Amino acid sequence: MNNQFASASGRIAAILGPTNTGKTHYAIERMLAHKSGMIGLPLRLLAREVYDKVVRLKGADLAALITGEEKIVPPGAKYYVCTVEAMPVGIGTAFLAVDEIQLCADPERGHVFTDRLLNARGEEETLFMGADTMRQAIRRFVPGAYYITRSRFSDLAYTGPKKLTRLPRRSAAIGFSADDVYGIAELIRSQRGGAAVVLGALSPRTRNAQVELYQSGEVDFLVATDAIGMGINMDVDHVAFSALEKFDGAATRLLKPEEIGQIAGRAGRHMNDGTFGVTGDAEPLDTETVSRVENHHYDPVKVLQWRNSTLHFHSLDALLTSLDELPPTRGLVKARAASDLLALRALAEQDDVRTRAAGPGTVRLLWDACQLPDFNKLSAEEHARLVRVIFNYLASDEGVLPEDWFAGQVARLDVTEGDVAALSGRLAHIRTWTYAANRPGWLQDAAHWQGEARAVEDRLSDALHEKLTQRFVDRRTAVLMRQLAGDDMVVSLDDSGGVVIGGEAVGKLDGFRFTPVRSEGDVQRRMLHAAAMKGLESEFAARADRLTNAADTDIALSDRGRLWWEGAIVAKLIAGPSPLSPAVSLLTDENLKNGAREAVQHRLDAWLKARIDTRLETLRLLEARIEAKPGTEDALPPEARAVAHCLMENFGSLDVANAEIPEDRRGLIRALKPLLWFGKRSVYLPKLLRPEAAGLLSLLWAVWTKIENIPSLPRPGLTSFVNDADVPDGFLAAAGFRAVAGRAIRLDMLERLEETLEKAAIDGITADALLPKLVSLLGCGNDEMLSVLDTIGWAKQEIAGGGFVFRRKPKVPIKIAPERPPHKNEKKSAIDTKTKSRQNKKPQAKPIRVDPDSPFAGLAVLLDRK
């Protein structure tokens, strides 16, 4: 590892998980628990939101806000809330955090996040928050870090395509350009009454006003760019993608599954479940993408964007050379040229600029001017010309921007007339001068011009909010009291379950549960709620009838144990009388009457039984063999019946090291071989290793043991994976894996590993020749493989004539993991005491000593099998 990277300083942790896991909230709490702290956030909008929260908790005197366009730093500031690019990492704080660390892979901004990952540290504690896709990269570049895995608080389910005019209430429609956002908002206004809009280019003031328009319930729809995916939290139930491709600064490309998941994850905040889908011209998502988004399974980040941050300013050419340096190690890739580097290259071609930038001070000044962001999205040439003007002023004898020139730039933008496009353009321009006013040393009276630029930005922000509201919101609504006073009150439902009285939304019916809108507690709202409930009686009955007669394919079971039907959760699994017989608990209101309730219960019970019988067919066959009457063809002998009982109690697999299996297995094999595999490490049913069966078994284990946070399932097809999330052994075993030396290894791969080792020992294959094959079996590194081999009792031995082979270690008991107390609902694997007694009376074979250098040493492996 290159020595320019920061060494460990205090505790370093990575808080990883999907959206809606409370990572940022956790980081804020940790920061405020320290004497000082700094947090870097991906958006100015989010930085302002977090700053306001810190001010409420700690007071304005202790809170600082530093972004490119805004700087509020009281003399006694202790807690710095910043955009990642603006973090003053050199000041030293006890705590430091960087949010959305997966942006290290972003082609445009990734090099800044990578620099923070490699070099930014708190004196006492450092946190990196983001997606689990960064786990391998952080492990590589921050080897001293430890990991906290956060599970999503709620379910996220795909509901397919919907027309824009049929989107459920409390939906966010996603576009990937300002034109797309405005076009969608226009259509929603004409059909559904109006929408708020959120774009990354909005000022915090405009954005907050638009969000309040949505949060207050004045409008039920939000139209946003992908900026909504970066921690902007709102009460969104459904996210609809109007397109599945975006322009990433270089080319238009398809969205990656992790990008879809980041945005879709905004649906369903905290404990409320959410849905996502497509709308407009977007094609429906394929099954694989849906599965990956719903289960948060994404490809790991393999390379990080990097740009040298150790710059040399003794000459202009030296600065350019240092910026063009190649990454110092594998896993880093040179970032494409950003606007600052493009401007520097363009200006370096001009003789007058080279003449001015003749010494270290002016070279540094030129690079400082090149940092001016291109908020206006100008061409590279136009942006370079603006940078040149600013540099020439800063490098002049006065050394600052002329106040009359700067005043003219600000004044020409202080115009609040015009349409949305004109106001948005002026707002982008004023952000340039707000940034300039906040640069140290650029203006004689910086504080004055910061206030002036901010005042103009606020006026433009208010004007833009007003124009957006006028353009995209129809404020005409029906008067509730007029409906209440009449006898013809009409209660209706839209396609998403929204309950409407006289055009006014009063709540939402999800499955069989009604949730009213937020109530002020007044009499009219209570009357409205009562009327809605009365009007929903027929709807409850109709839904119960549809569910009772629904096809099996219309019902789905999530990996969190929820039963979904028609886009809503209607029941959940709870522990039943036995591990493989969970109970179905309906999630309904009192409006589902007895007869209808019983019919729904019966239908879901039957569906679940059929699902278990189909996917766990081999377990059901084994159960039938257990229950067969003695003397019949299918009846099992006593020892085989005992083993079968243990398998049923332990979700289809037994660890040989911890279970009492008779040494002479021939009788068991004859009785059970069509169903079971008797391996050296495990006894299991091979068909249960299939993804559908393994997923269902692990869910049944979680339901039976009543764990609160159900772990994520391993991705289908994995033969092993790093088990650093402290997944319970029972969950792994039910999923068909065994914990070995920090890895979870699929049962059949563990047996295959053992067979490969034994065959190699017989054939005399050297360790160097065998190790790549073993690594390929498990998909791990050499060091991890050696640790696995050591744990299962194999080690390198030197042989005569030089070289090494793998041999089983002598006198080492085979034990895969330390035995732990069973979970409160788990039962310990054991054969009846009579069987144990017979086993204990068997004479023990004397150990055979074998010279490891003997050419027949490999035959010792065969003896181990007996």
Side-chain angles (χ1 to χ4, degrees):
M1 191 64 63
N2 191 286
N3 59 13
Q4 70 173 306
F5 301 162
S7 58
S9 177
R11 186 177 71 161
I12 304 175
I15 316 298
L16 305 178
T19 56
N20 190 25
T21 57
K23 298 185 294 292
T24 306
H25 178 75
Y26 174 84
I28 295 170
E29 287 186 333
R30 293 298 307 144
M31 178 176 73
L32 298 183
H34 286 269
K35 61 185 177 183
S36 62
M38 181 185 304
I39 184 169
L41 299 155
L43 294 176
R44 180 191 178 196
L45 303 176
L46 185 56
R48 184 75 201 201
E49 181 178 307
V50 173
Y51 167 77
D52 291 338
K53 183 173 184 177
V54 174
V55 168
R56 290 195 301 270
L57 294 173
K58 289 291 186 178
D61 292 339
L62 296 180
L65 174 66
I66 302 178
T67 69
E69 302 123 89
E70 196 170 11
K71 184 179 290 186
I72 304 172
V73 185
K78 297 294 184 184
Y79 303 101
Y80 294 79
V81 181
C82 320
T83 50
V84 174
E85 287 86 346
M87 293 175 72
V89 293
I91 66 174
T93 54
F95 173 91
L96 184 141
V98 181
D99 200 11
E100 304 293 355
I101 196 63
Q102 74 274 5
L103 287 178
C104 286
D106 182 73
E108 289 190 73
R109 305 170 63 198
H111 66 91
V112 179
F113 284 77
T114 300
D115 183 68
R116 301 297 183 252
L117 176 69
L118 300 179
N119 300 312
R121 299 290 183 270
E123 294 168 355
E124 298 172 5
E125 184 177 8
T126 303
L127 295 186
F128 299 112
M129 300 87 72
D132 197 69
T133 55
M134 280 293 292
R135 185 180 297 267
Q136 292 183 15
I138 295 174
R139 183 180 290 114
R140 176 172 187 172
F141 292 106
V142 191
Y146 74 97
Y147 302 86
I148 299 175
T149 301
R150 306 281 292 218
S151 297
R152 185 176 164 89
F153 292 138
S154 59
D155 269 343
L156 183 65
Y158 178 68
T159 57
K162 291 182 184 293
K163 293 181 179 180
L164 275 169
T165 55
R166 308 296 290 273
L167 289 178
R169 294 179 184 275
R170 313 311 291 171
S171 287
I174 307 301
F176 292 95
S177 70
D179 289 342
D180 289 342
V181 168
Y182 293 156
I184 294 169
E186 289 274 19
L187 181 58
I188 291 177
R189 179 190 185 278
S190 66
Q191 299 289 328
R192 307 297 292 274
V197 297
V198 171
L199 301 90
L202 295 181
S203 67
R205 191 179 181 97
T206 305
R207 173 261 182 184
N208 290 341
Q210 287 289 301
V211 167
E212 180 57 28
L213 192 67
Y214 174 83
Q215 290 290 84
S216 67
E218 189 168 349
V219 295
D220 276 319
F221 300 92
L222 178 74
V223 187
T225 63
D226 53 348
I228 194 177
M230 293 298 170
I232 300 178
N233 298 321
M234 284 168 282
D235 298 328
V236 175
D237 294 334
H238 180 77
V239 170
F241 292 84
S242 68
L244 296 173
E245 59 183 22
K246 62 177 285 189
F247 180 76
D248 66 359
T252 299
R253 60 168 176 81
L254 292 174
L255 293 174
K256 300 174 183 177
E258 54 267 34
E259 292 172 323
I260 296 174
Q262 182 77 23
I263 300 167
R266 293 299 127 192
R269 304 310 302 158
H270 197 54
M271 302 305 293
N272 297 321
D273 299 311
T275 58
F276 68 100
V278 294
T279 189
D281 296 329
E283 293 291 330
L285 294 173
D286 60 84
T287 303
E288 181 183 357
T289 300
V290 169
S291 176
R292 296 178 73 178
V293 173
E294 288 181 338
N295 297 300
H296 320 299
H297 289 162
Y298 307 117
D299 294 331
V301 172
K302 295 181 179 179
V303 292
L304 310 184
Q305 300 291 319
W306 180 87
R307 186 172 81 178
N308 184 25
S309 60
T310 306
L311 305 180
H312 304 297
F313 295 98
H314 54 272
S315 72
L316 185 51
D317 289 332
L319 175 58
L320 286 166
T321 300
S322 61
L323 283 165
D324 283 331
E325 279 191 18
L326 295 176
T329 186
R330 294 177 61 187
L332 302 176
V333 63
K334 185 179 177 182
R336 70 187 182 205
S339 62
D340 54 0
L341 181 53
L342 292 174
L344 181 66
R345 287 174 177 170
L347 295 177
E349 300 291 328
Q350 302 179 18
D351 292 339
D352 61 329
V353 173
R354 277 192 166 272
T355 301
R356 282 186 178 273
T362 49
V363 171
R364 189 181 294 272
L365 195 60
L366 175 59
W367 179 240
D368 197 25
C370 289
Q371 303 298 300
L372 185 75
D374 184 15
F375 294 120
N376 307 310
K377 304 301 178 185
L378 305 171
S379 67
E381 294 77 13
E382 289 177 302
H383 184 62
R385 282 197 293 271
L386 177 59
V387 172
R388 177 183 175 180
V389 170
I390 290 176
F391 169 69
N392 284 334
Y393 280 131
L394 297 177
S396 66
D397 292 339
E398 290 76 16
V400 293
L401 301 178
E403 287 204 359
D404 56 346
W405 176 80
F406 192 87
Q409 302 298 322
V410 173
R412 70 184 180 87
L413 299 173
D414 193 9
V415 180
T416 56
E417 288 81 29
D419 59 11
V420 168
L423 290 168
S424 297
R426 291 187 203 120
L427 198 53
H429 278 80
I430 197 62
R431 291 177 69 188
T432 299
W433 304 118
T434 302
Y435 177 92
N438 279 278
R439 297 300 296 166
W442 281 25
L443 287 163
Q444 191 72 40
D445 188 0
H448 168 75
W449 289 110
Q450 288 169 12
E452 287 294 312
R454 178 65 184 275
V456 173
E457 181 179 319
D458 286 349
R459 286 192 287 273
L460 290 172
S461 297
D462 292 342
L464 179 58
H465 168 63
E466 186 63 26
K467 289 294 182 182
L468 290 171
T469 303
Q470 289 176 7
R471 181 173 171 182
F472 301 127
V473 178
D474 181 3
R475 295 183 180 275
R476 292 176 300 175
T477 58
V479 179
L480 291 179
M481 293 305 298
R482 183 168 39 188
Q483 291 288 325
L484 288 168
D487 297 326
D488 57 345
M489 181 181 295
V490 177
V491 179
S492 61
L493 283 87
D494 60 26
D495 291 343
S496 66
V499 182
V500 179
I501 294 181
E504 188 73 3
V506 297
K508 184 176 181 181
L509 183 61
D510 285 311
F512 298 98
R513 292 178 293 176
F514 175 76
T515 304
V517 295
R518 284 178 290 186
S519 174
E520 301 293 334
D522 53 273
V523 175
Q524 290 84 359
R525 286 191 178 275
R526 288 197 298 271
M527 291 175 61
L528 196 59
H529 177 265
M533 293 276 48
K534 181 178 180 180
L536 288 173
E537 288 182 0
S538 60
E539 178 62 20
F540 271 83
R543 291 192 176 194
D545 183 68
R546 291 203 306 274
L547 176 53
T548 300
N549 295 287
D552 284 351
T553 54
D554 293 338
I555 304 171
L557 177 64
S558 78
D559 59 5
R560 295 174 64 87
R562 267 62 167 184
L563 287 164
W564 287 73
W565 172 72
E566 291 192 352
I569 295 174
V570 294
K572 65 179 181 179
L573 300 190
I574 59 174
S578 69
L580 300 182
S581 300
V584 175
S585 175
L586 298 184
L587 300 175
T588 69
D589 287 338
E590 66 279 3
N591 279 47
L592 188 62
K593 304 302 181 184
N594 292 338
R597 179 183 293 271
E598 290 171 3
V600 169
Q601 182 76 57
H602 178 74
R603 177 68 184 98
L604 294 179
D605 287 343
W607 182 92
L608 180 62
K609 184 179 184 304
R611 171 62 63 93
I612 294 174
D613 290 348
T614 301
R615 296 195 173 181
L616 307 182
E617 181 183 7
T618 53
L619 270 180
R620 289 304 192 203
L621 292 174
L622 187 64
E623 188 178 41
R625 297 287 304 276
I626 294 172
E627 294 173 356
K629 292 182 179 180
T632 62
E633 183 179 352
D634 290 334
L636 294 173
E639 286 189 347
R641 193 165 182 268
V643 171
H645 265 298
C646 288
L647 283 163
M648 295 297 295
E649 293 173 354
N650 288 274
F651 298 87
S653 70
L654 293 174
D655 182 350
V656 172
N658 296 326
E660 298 292 340
I661 304 295
E663 291 181 5
D664 185 356
R665 304 180 183 180
R666 288 174 295 181
L668 294 176
I669 293 173
R670 281 195 301 270
L672 297 170
K673 183 157 186 182
L675 298 176
L676 269 62
W677 181 265
F678 286 81
K680 199 167 191 65
R681 301 286 177 184
S682 304
V683 178
Y684 62 96
L685 288 78
K687 289 186 178 181
L688 297 185
L689 300 183
R690 296 172 180 173
E692 289 185 347
L696 180 55
L697 270 175
S698 56
L699 173 61
L700 295 182
W701 180 91
V703 171
W704 176 250
T705 54
K706 301 177 182 178
I707 62 172
E708 295 180 0
N709 295 317
I710 300 177
S712 297
L713 291 171
R715 196 165 59 213
L718 283 181
T719 58
S720 77
F721 59 94
V722 177
N723 182 28
D724 57 2
D726 197 27
V727 178
D729 291 348
F731 183 90
L732 289 175
F737 288 80
R738 193 80 69 211
V740 183
R743 293 192 73 80
I745 304 175
R746 208 170 66 200
L747 300 181
D748 57 342
M749 287 297 105
L750 193 57
E751 297 298 335
R752 189 172 169 187
L753 176 67
E754 191 81 39
E755 292 169 5
T756 303
L757 285 164
E758 291 176 345
K759 186 177 184 303
I762 294 171
D763 295 343
I765 299 175
T766 65
D768 289 343
L770 181 61
L771 188 59
K773 183 176 181 180
L774 302 180
V775 166
S776 177
L777 279 177
L778 300 191
C780 63
N782 289 350
D783 291 342
E784 291 171 296
M785 176 54 69
L786 292 174
S787 179
V788 168
L789 295 180
D790 179 71
T791 302
I792 66 174
W794 289 79
K796 286 183 179 180
Q797 284 188 11
E798 188 173 5
I799 59 177
F804 292 85
V805 294
F806 286 112
R807 293 282 186 266
R808 193 182 297 284
K809 294 187 292 186
K811 299 182 180 180
V812 175
I814 299 172
K815 192 169 184 180
I816 293 180
E819 187 172 352
R820 61 174 178 80
H823 197 279
K824 58 186 177 182
N825 279 7
E826 286 184 281
K827 296 184 179 180
K828 181 175 176 60
S829 301
I831 309 300
D832 58 85
T833 56
K834 292 183 179 179
T835 303
K836 289 184 184 179
S837 177
R838 289 196 298 270
Q839 292 173 353
N840 292 336
K841 291 179 180 179
K842 290 183 179 181
Q844 299 295 315
K846 295 182 179 179
I848 299 174
R849 300 184 178 275
V850 180
D851 182 356
D853 294 329
S854 167
F856 301 102
L859 295 177
V861 177
L862 294 176
L863 296 176
D864 285 339
R865 295 178 177 174
K866 296 183 178 180

